[in-house]
Amino acid sequence: MVEEIGGGVTTLAPGDRVVLGWRSPCGACRWCRRGDSRRCRTPPGVRDRLHLADGRSVTQTLQLGTFATRTVVHSAAAICTPDGLPPEQACLIGCSVATGVGSVLNTAGVWEGARVAVIGCGAVGLSVVQGARLAGASEIYALDLEERKLSAAEQFGATHRGPGEKLDFVFDVVGLPETVAQGLDMLGHAGTLVYIGLPRPGASAAVDLQQLFDRRLRVVVSHGGDHVPALDFPQLFQWAGEGKLDLAGMVTKRIGLGDVAQAFDDLEAGDVIRSVILF
Ligand SMILES: [Zn+2]
């Protein structure tokens, strides 16, 4: 059962499965009120239930919690999954897939025939590749330091390896000053750099203003692909069911809750796209 704190109650039938989303719009902020719910930055949450001895709240990661067998969330965060979609695939939609595909379709608005590059081909970058394929991009360049990730990118739809030139869109999933500079260099006239990677605190990048002006470049930031769970998850479920979105290929390992430390080591070593915990 999903209880909406302070409001109505959404009841799930036994056996219903949900994917939790961390970006549900509040419906009340100035961005939501003007119809731009994808820019909302105050997702509804539940009342704080746990406190430290000094009174400070112990809050859930992104209002959802993680590595937990039980959690309390706002009803807007729980999106029912369709029958037939394995849970270890459906869960990927909650973050990496929604971020990658949403960055292409929501944030950037990649058009059919566009020439696109992705810097960083982990799970989010591979989802960008899939989103670019869904959008009908004519060329998809994959950049990564690891041969395994480039090979994976090709499996998910990348058409070229290495930097392209005069591109329409570059997606920076790494977020370093060097990748921002490289991404801007790769853009052509009126190209767009989509910044997805989380910056390190205090990081800054030098921007060639002459290049920015002459080429009429844009830099846009994507927070989780600017997705709205209630709008986007059902569409992503549908594409997965139709075989247009490859989720199975992104699940490298199925693990138990006790294997989380090893899963992080595997991730850092580049041995997995995603390890999924089965409860
Ligand atoms: Zn809002």
Side-chain angles (χ1 to χ4, degrees):
M1 189 181 84
V2 179
E3 179 185 354
E4 187 172 336
I5 304 300
V9 173
T10 303
T11 303
L12 301 175
D16 276 354
R17 290 190 165 122
V18 297
V19 169
L20 300 181
W22 56 276
R23 297 197 78 258
S24 294
C26 72
C29 70
R30 58 187 289 239
W31 289 274
C32 284
R33 286 203 310 272
R34 73 173 194 218
D36 189 11
S37 57
R38 294 188 185 279
R39 302 290 177 281
C40 179
R41 59 179 186 176
T42 50
V46 295
R47 210 180 314 122
D48 293 346
R49 296 182 172 219
L50 300 174
H51 297 87
L52 299 172
D54 63 8
R56 282 179 297 158
S57 295
V58 179
T59 57
Q60 301 149 287
T61 304
L62 297 173
Q63 307 272 19
L64 302 180
T66 187
F67 305 141
T69 55
R70 289 164 185 261
T71 187
V72 178
V73 302
H74 194 282
S75 62
I79 310 298
C80 280
T81 64
D83 293 337
L85 185 60
E88 70 266 32
Q89 294 179 31
C91 69
L92 299 178
I93 284 177
C95 194
S96 53
V97 171
T99 297
V101 177
S103 294
V104 173
L105 302 181
N106 302 328
T107 311
V110 169
W111 57 81
E112 193 175 347
R115 302 173 67 241
V116 169
V118 183
I119 304 177
C121 296
V124 175
L126 294 175
S127 300
V128 170
V129 169
Q130 296 214 58
R133 181 170 45 74
L134 282 163
S138 61
E139 295 173 23
I140 305 172
Y141 292 79
L143 288 82
D144 202 287
L145 298 176
E146 290 227 17
E147 161 64 29
R148 284 179 295 183
K149 292 187 179 178
L150 292 172
S151 174
E154 286 171 336
Q155 288 171 26
F156 285 97
T159 58
H160 297 74
R161 292 185 179 203
E165 288 184 345
K166 299 182 178 176
L167 303 178
D168 298 306
F169 297 93
V170 174
F171 294 84
D172 180 0
V173 192
V174 178
L176 293 172
E178 294 84 353
T179 53
V180 169
Q182 183 180 19
L184 288 171
D185 274 346
M186 286 157 57
L187 290 171
H189 175 72
T192 301
L193 179 82
V194 183
Y195 187 77
I196 307 173
L198 290 175
R200 294 208 176 112
S204 63
V207 175
D208 182 332
L209 294 179
Q210 190 72 48
Q211 177 195 55
L212 197 72
F213 181 85
D214 289 348
R215 295 196 205 161
R216 301 181 62 172
L217 304 183
R218 294 191 307 158
V219 177
V220 297
V221 171
S222 164
H223 280 192
D226 299 321
H227 72 264
V228 171
L231 295 178
D232 298 328
F233 288 6
Q235 175 68 79
L236 294 167
F237 294 146
Q238 185 183 329
W239 282 334
E242 294 170 353
K244 295 176 180 171
L245 191 59
D246 178 4
L247 299 178
M250 297 183 71
V251 182
T252 315
K253 281 189 177 179
R254 294 160 182 77
I255 63 169
L257 188 55
D259 306 319
V260 166
Q262 179 63 46
F264 275 116
D265 289 343
D266 290 345
L267 196 65
E268 282 194 35
D271 290 341
V272 298
I273 298 174
R274 277 290 180 267
S275 299
V276 175
I277 303 169
L278 296 177
F279 292 105

